[in-house]
Amino acid sequence: MDYDLNVYLMAGSTKYPKTGDLCIKFKSSENGDLQLHEGDKLAVFVGDECRRVITVDDEMEDDEEVSFKAFLSEDEELATLRYYSFWDDVVLTFKETFKLRNNNVTNLDVHL
């Protein structure tokens, strides 16, 4: 190779220099149509911009907490979640917004 490529994806950028931590607990409701399936995606959006996507792995189950970082351009932004179920072939957009804060943990219960 004629070059050395070092990519630091979690180091932020000039557009999104800040990060907020999300701690999500998945909960399937008794009458819920969706279940967690390996390979499904959970995305954090601020407006129409996707700020982070995670993939459901085979160890994520009901009442398990999953933690990850999402990118921010300001100290506090309103965000929403979208769940992409490949198994059920649907996209679930959660209507409730939540505040994502720089260097803070936001705890959410996600009901499917």
Side-chain angles (χ1 to χ4, degrees), residues 32-85:
D33 295 330
L34 291 176
Q35 299 293 321
L36 289 175
H37 292 283
E38 184 176 359
D40 288 352
K41 308 282 186 198
L42 181 69
V44 179
F45 277 79
V46 174
D48 290 330
E49 289 186 326
C50 182
R51 299 295 180 88
R52 184 72 195 271
V53 177
I54 63 166
T55 301
V56 174
D57 64 33
D58 61 346
E59 297 181 12
M60 288 183 190
E61 297 178 359
D62 282 354
D63 291 328
E64 179 187 350
E65 291 183 354
V66 178
S67 297
F68 59 96
K69 292 186 180 298
F71 295 106
L72 300 169
S73 58
E74 300 176 11
D75 283 331
E76 180 177 291
E77 295 187 83
L78 284 179
T80 58
L81 293 176
R82 293 182 191 170
Y83 188 84
Y84 299 83
S85 174

Side-chain angles (χ1 to χ4, degrees), residues 1-5:
M1 276 190 192
D2 292 335
Y3 57 87
D4 184 19
L5 179 63

Side-chain angles (χ1 to χ4, degrees), residues 3-50:
Y3 57 87
D4 184 19
L5 179 63
N6 291 313
V7 179
Y8 299 99
L9 295 176
M10 296 309 295
S13 69
T14 55
K15 186 173 182 182
Y16 306 114
K18 302 166 190 284
T19 59
D21 292 301
L22 277 174
C23 184
I24 295 177
K25 185 183 283 189
F26 291 103
K27 294 180 175 277
S28 295
S29 58
E30 292 179 17
N31 57 356
D33 295 330
L34 291 176
Q35 299 293 321
L36 289 175
H37 292 283
E38 184 176 359
D40 288 352
K41 308 282 186 198
L42 181 69
V44 179
F45 277 79
V46 174
D48 290 330
E49 289 186 326
C50 182

Side-chain angles (χ1 to χ4, degrees), residues 97-111:
T97 60
F98 58 92
K99 290 181 181 178
L100 196 54
R101 295 181 177 98
N102 184 39
N103 294 325
N104 261 326
V105 176
T106 301
N107 294 297
L108 297 175
D109 288 340
V110 174
H111 299 272

